[in-house]
Structures are given as C-alpha cells and as structure tokens.
Amino acid sequence: DFYRTYARAVPHRKDGAIMVAWNEAQRSRFPEIVRHAKSTGIDNAVVMEPEKLLEIEPNLNPSVLGGILFPDEMVVDPWLLSIACIRESLDYGAAVYREAEVASAKWNSETRSWKLHLLNGVDVQASCVVNAAGLYGDRIEDCRFPFSTTPKFHIKPRKGQFAVFEQPPSRLLNHIVMPVPTETSRGVLLFSSVYGNIVIGPTAEEQDARDT
C-alpha cells in the first residue's frame, strides 16, 4: 500500500487520470477497457461524456468525444520512489549489488534454488529469481538456457524521451491525460509533475544500441 509505506518519504499527488477518445473507433473500445480494468481490481473507472469531461479538464480540445476517468491514478517522484523501495528492502535484510552483471544462471534440482554467477565474482543463491533486466531481459534468458534449441525472444531497443516544460503561472492540467492504447503502444501521456512542470511523452525511437 503506497500511502502506508511511502507517503511521507516520496512526493506524490493523487490527480487521477482520464483516457480520452478523439474518434469513434477509440470511443467504441471504452466498454472493453472498463471490463479489463475491473478484471484487474480497478472497479471505479467511470465513462464520461464530453460535457462532463470538459468540466473537470477545461483545457482539453472541445472536439474530444469522451473519456474514462481513473480516479486513483497518481504522479510521484520516480527517482525518490525507487530509492525509498531500495531503502525499505535494505531494512528487511536485502543486499544490493551494483555494476554486477549476471554471467550465468544454473538451477539446482536438489536444493531447488538458482545459482547466479556475477561478473564481479559474487555468487548469489536464491529459490526465486525475477528477470527484471529491462532491455537486457533477453540476455538474462540466454543465461538460463544457454543450450536451448527452442526459439528465444529478442528485445529491440526503443528509446522514449519526455519533454519537460517550465512551471506555468497557473495549473493547466487537473489530471493525467492519456490516449486509448493501441496494440503496439500506450501512446503519449500529458501530465503535471509533482513539482508543477508540464510533461509530455514519451517518444518511440527505434534504435540498435541498448544503453544510449
């Protein structure tokens, strides 16, 4: 629970989010999106007509055809949230290894545990390993099954950048504004940061390098 654990340590603001439709095809997906939200535990999503939507977000383009309000969405300081999670993990006895690339991963059926060998010389043993390597997730998968003949997945890097504007003299946005997602993208978001800056993004730039 965010409020119980991090509310005092991490700047945040519960703005809520609205998913907006600009054409009939997008609007026709609203019932499907609300059903999916309910299936994941979000049971307070509300479909709004253009008139009500413009009342709560008056700076939207009047041509909007409607939206879905997700009242519990919030904005946070993402860096401080990550630091707070790490600090709490350390308080519970976790160890953090930095610049510790995984070189190999082997499963021991007798101990029912994984043994990870890191390039810094450290060996880590764990009963459960989560592959959270981001753009390098396919390489971690290769460590698990180095001799597998089954098809392996490959991650194609895509860079996403946000534009951060100076703080406006008055608040231009009351909610996070997001488009109806497509099969390949969640689209571009528009929101006000916890420090008052208007932020828009991300871009989606295909590239070959993973670390630039």
Side-chain angles (χ1 to χ4, degrees):
D1 184 88
F2 177 87
Y3 285 106
R4 184 183 68 241
T5 308
Y6 301 118
R8 293 184 179 180
V10 180
H12 66 283
R13 192 178 61 244
K14 191 174 181 180
D15 284 352
I18 51 174
M19 181 178 291
V20 294
W22 302 103
N23 56 53
E24 290 296 342
Q26 293 173 348
R27 182 178 171 82
S28 68
R29 293 191 55 203
F30 281 1
E32 164 203 342
I33 292 170
V34 171
R35 284 196 300 270
H36 177 73
K38 288 184 178 180
S39 72
T40 61
I42 303 173
D43 57 4
N44 57 353
V46 179
V47 175
M48 305 191 74
E49 295 301 319
E51 297 78 12
K52 292 293 184 181
L53 195 60
L54 290 169
E55 286 181 10
I56 65 172
E57 202 61 71
N59 289 319
L60 278 178
N61 190 313
S63 65
V64 65
L65 297 184
I68 304 175
L69 173 65
F70 299 90
D72 291 336
E73 294 292 309
M74 65 174 64
V75 292
V76 302
D77 182 317
W79 292 274
L80 289 181
L81 178 59
S82 300
I83 292 171
C85 290
I86 292 172
R87 289 298 301 269
E88 184 183 29
S89 299
L90 292 173
D91 290 342
Y92 280 94
V96 176
Y97 299 97
R98 297 184 299 168
E99 298 185 16
E101 182 178 343
V102 177
S104 65
K106 295 181 179 179
W107 172 255
N108 188 319
S109 58
E110 294 183 0
T111 62
R112 299 195 60 78
S113 64
W114 288 95
K115 181 180 180 181
L116 307 183
H117 178 66
L118 311 181
L119 286 183
N120 63 2
V122 175
D123 288 328
V124 178
Q125 186 167 323
S127 58
C128 177
V129 175
V130 178
N131 182 353
L135 288 176
Y136 294 86
D138 53 346
R139 296 186 180 178
I140 297 297
E141 191 73 3
D142 288 343
C143 289
R144 290 181 58 213
F145 305 109
F147 307 111
S148 174
T149 57
T150 59
K152 299 178 181 179
F153 70 89
H154 175 69
I155 292 177
K156 175 69 174 176
R158 177 183 290 176
K159 179 188 290 184
Q161 301 187 72
F162 287 86
V164 181
F165 298 92
E166 293 184 357
Q167 297 180 9
S170 60
R171 190 169 180 186
L172 300 176
L173 286 172
N174 298 320
H175 303 78
I176 304 164
V177 179
M178 54 189 182
V180 175
T182 67
E183 293 182 356
T184 58
S185 173
R186 290 188 62 189
V188 174
L189 308 181
L190 181 65
F191 62 94
S192 175
S193 76
V194 289
Y195 305 110
N197 304 81
I198 298 296
V199 183
I200 185 170
T203 58
E205 305 166 36
E206 302 287 350
Q207 59 185 46
D208 295 321
R210 300 181 188 234
D211 54 1
T212 59

